[in-house]
Amino acid sequence: MSEADERPRSPVPPWDGKALSAEFAARHDRAWTLGYESAHAPALAAKASWEGDFPSELIGMFLRNGPARHERGGQRYAHRWDGDGMIQRFILNPDGVSHLGRFVQTRKLLDEEAAGHMLYSGFGTPIDQEKPTLARIEASNPANINILRFNDEYLALWEAGQPYRVDPETLATAGRASWLEAGHPAPFSAHPKLAADGSLWNFGVDPLQDRLHLYGIGSDGTPLLQRDIIVEQIAPVHDFGMTEHFMVFLMPSVTISRSHLMAGASFAQSCHWSPQLGMRAIVVRKTDATTVEFHLPSGCLLHVANAWEEGERIYVDYLGCEDPSPLLAGWSVMAGKYRHIRGAAVTRATLDLVSGTATREALLDHDAEYPSVLPAEIAQPYRHVLCLERSKQRARDVPGFDRVALIDVKAATCRAFGFGDDWLVEEHVLVADEAAHAPRWAVGTALNLSDRVTVLSVFDTDDLASGPVAQARLPYALPLGLHGTFVRGGVA
Ligand SMILES: [Fe+2]
């Protein structure tokens, strides 16, 4: 028997990128497919004036990252999170909004531009059949999930590779983060947390060795923690909770098949719903990386809203769901198809360090995602989280969110503004008052499907339900992005 014959039978379902491209193009009568088209130029720039009253204390910069090139060489990716990352920068001042959009010049993008076709597997799309290694995964890094400012550097983040540094004035790609060791690829997730002392904490999942990489980096770039620990049957963890003393990892009831990865399946194709495992919570002490494990009934999640300690208890608020249904949309929308089943809800897990027990409860009966809390309230008891919500009456064959909602997690109440049926709303971020004491503003973008333009909105959170106090309409539509950040002041 030849060596090739001994390889496990590939679990990769058929993917035909050209057929998928044609299928998507044939569904252009569905207005919402606009959000899943590619950006039409390598760089976009425009100015837009305000409608309404722009609050001058919000002079600053809003940045968002997201996959913006979904096709190459006539082929279309199988999953919405595979495309090349494009940074969208909005400078907000009393005269209006200046937008600049630019692709992160990753090694992947440069290699594929030169080749004229796809070379590297994506999160969901199986393209290259080489044996996966951390170096090979790093080569496929599209830097497409988030952008964060840390240590005076702006970092375009993926979750299975290392951050790319971006110049905030030109959005030119400027190499790697200065404080990361060069030449040693390691996963670095897209949702780092900044502590009150300015230190940054993060993790990365290595599915090839069941390792969880842990990072603590001081505000000046000095390493505080660089360790990796073994986690048996490690799950695809996208986000984590940070408290004063701990990093908390809620592991969805999903396993990653190494044999499928080795057989050429993409990462997402190698993930399997495994409810029999339940949901694990792994609590890691920041000082020495010692761990305590808790068990919860089966469940799934992408994002953590916040976490904090009270005595011997750890609380984690996250967007929880019973099964992976909300995550499946990333495949179907790439074909221009959608059928909504259910979403996630703000959920609280309580971990008791004395008794070793864990409980959880959904705080609201709703369908939400993209949580944002004030940076100053991360790892602290808090009251407000901003989310995107999906109206119960939204048509089932239309994806995405149509409302921005400010949730009071103490009172379990919600104030929301509905954009309407013909909108796809993107993540909005919560911004504090000038003293950084309390939520005051919400800033974000949304895609208007009737006018085919992207609109930036500013809300006063004291009266969020009345709608935006100021809006600026770009003269074009941007592909739907993922996560972003607001920086007061920003660049000139
Ligand atoms: Fe995320």
Side-chain angles (χ1 to χ4, degrees), residues 11 21 94 125 145 169 178 182 184 193 200 208 257 305 313 327 334 350-351 368 370 403 412 419 449 474 488:
S21 180
T125 311
I145 299 180
E169 291 196 34
S178 58
H184 294 282
K193 302 284 182 281
L200 177 146
L208 304 175
S257 165
R313 283 189 169 173
L327 312 186
M334 295 301 281
T350 303
L351 314 176
Y370 290 97
R403 290 155 62 92
F419 279 76
L449 300 173
L474 295 185
R488 256 206 177 85

Side-chain angles (χ1 to χ4, degrees), residues 7 11 17 35 75 152 169 181 212 308 316 352 371 382 385 430 465:
R7 293 178 64 182
Q75 291 193 303
D152 278 335
E169 291 196 34
E181 201 175 346
L212 186 65
W308 69 99
V316 188
D352 190 314
Y382 75 116
V385 56
L430 208 51

Side-chain angles (χ1 to χ4, degrees), residues 23-361:
E23 191 176 358
F24 182 75
R27 296 203 168 94
H28 267 197
D29 58 325
R30 299 176 186 188
W32 61 261
T33 59
L34 178 66
Y36 305 91
E37 290 182 6
S38 298
H40 296 298
L44 294 163
K47 292 191 174 177
S49 54
W50 292 113
E51 298 162 19
D53 298 318
F54 173 73
S56 57
E57 72 166 271
L58 266 188
I59 291 172
M61 180 166 63
F62 175 64
L63 294 151
R64 188 194 298 290
N65 195 354
R69 183 179 283 124
H70 300 292
E71 303 201 14
R72 190 183 294 284
Q75 291 193 303
R76 184 166 174 82
Y77 283 120
H79 198 283
R80 176 234 156 157
W81 296 339
D82 290 343
D84 294 297
M86 189 179 202
I87 307 297
Q88 313 294 352
R89 187 200 67 191
F90 303 85
I91 294 177
L92 285 61
N93 63 44
D95 295 333
V97 169
S98 297
H99 170 254
L100 178 66
R102 223 171 152 183
F103 282 98
V104 186
Q105 300 295 298
T106 61
R107 173 185 160 183
K108 169 196 177 296
L109 182 141
L110 296 173
D111 286 355
E112 293 187 342
E113 288 279 287
H117 58 89
M118 296 172 178
L119 296 172
Y120 301 103
S121 292
F123 165 81
T125 311
I127 294 165
D128 84 63
Q129 297 292 303
E130 291 196 24
K131 182 183 172 188
T133 62
L134 287 186
R136 189 71 186 165
I137 294 169
E138 176 58 50
S140 70
N141 179 353
N144 66 358
I145 299 180
N146 200 355
I147 181 160
L148 174 91
R149 183 172 76 159
F150 172 65
N151 194 24
D152 278 335
E153 294 178 344
Y154 288 80
L155 305 171
L157 298 157
W158 192 40
E159 64 183 358
Q162 299 202 329
Y164 278 85
R165 191 151 48 93
V166 173
D167 180 334
E169 291 196 34
T170 62
L171 298 188
T173 302
R176 299 307 180 103
S178 58
W179 37 267
L180 274 175
E181 201 175 346
H184 294 282
F188 189 89
S189 103
H191 288 288
K193 302 284 182 281
L194 287 166
D197 64 0
S199 58
L200 177 146
W201 298 83
N202 198 20
F203 73 98
V205 170
D206 172 4
L208 304 175
Q209 301 180 79
D210 275 347
R211 283 182 189 274
L212 186 65
H213 291 252
L214 304 166
Y215 305 88
I217 299 144
S219 59
D220 60 354
T222 308
L224 303 174
L225 173 70
Q226 273 193 315
R227 193 84 66 86
D228 54 82
I229 58 175
I230 298 288
V231 176
E232 300 292 341
Q233 292 187 294
I234 198 163
V237 180
H238 177 69
D239 194 359
F240 76 114
M242 183 185 73
T243 70
E244 183 181 354
H245 300 102
F246 301 103
M247 304 168 81
V248 187
F249 300 93
L250 298 181
M251 302 244 161
S253 308
V254 175
T255 49
I256 308 166
S257 165
R258 225 162 7 234
S259 64
H260 287 191
L261 282 173
M262 291 298 172
S266 69
F267 180 79
Q269 289 172 324
S270 303
C271 290
H272 303 284
W273 176 236
S274 306
Q276 73 281 2
L277 285 181
M279 211 168 106
R280 291 170 288 166
I282 297 176
V283 175
V284 182
R285 189 176 291 276
K286 286 174 172 176
T287 50
D288 58 9
T290 54
T291 63
V292 183
E293 188 167 320
F294 295 84
H295 292 271
L296 288 158
S298 63
C300 206
L301 75 150
L302 272 179
H303 294 117
V304 172
N306 205 1
W308 69 99
E309 300 165 28
E310 284 181 24
E312 296 298 317
R313 283 189 169 173
I314 295 173
Y315 297 90
V316 188
D317 286 356
Y318 66 102
L319 272 296
C321 40
E322 293 174 9
D323 58 39
S325 304
L327 312 186
L328 301 178
W331 301 97
S332 62
V333 294
M334 295 301 281
K337 294 187 285 197
Y338 188 72
R339 188 76 178 159
H340 191 72
I341 302 172
R342 66 176 69 85
V346 175
T347 302
R348 177 164 298 168
T350 303
L351 314 176
D352 190 314
L353 290 164
V354 174
S355 66
T357 57
T359 57
R360 75 169 178 224
E361 59 171 335

Side-chain angles (χ1 to χ4, degrees), residues 361-443:
E361 59 171 335
L363 299 186
L364 279 93
D365 174 20
H366 65 160
D367 187 336
E369 249 300 350
Y370 290 97
S372 166
V373 300
L374 285 186
E377 292 188 330
I378 289 172
Q380 307 294 328
Y382 75 116
R383 182 153 204 147
H384 291 107
V385 56
L386 190 73
C387 286
L388 301 185
E389 270 191 344
R390 183 181 168 96
S391 302
K392 286 188 167 58
Q393 65 269 25
R394 190 162 172 87
R396 285 190 70 192
D397 59 357
V398 177
F401 299 92
D402 53 345
R403 290 155 62 92
V404 174
L406 186 67
I407 293 154
D408 180 331
V409 295
K410 289 191 175 169
T413 57
C414 171
R415 283 174 284 150
F417 172 75
F419 279 76
D421 295 340
D422 57 344
W423 291 78
L424 290 169
V425 185
E426 300 176 275
E427 180 189 75
H428 281 53
V429 298
L430 208 51
V431 181
D433 57 21
E434 284 185 288
H437 286 149
R440 184 71 176 87
W441 309 103
V443 178

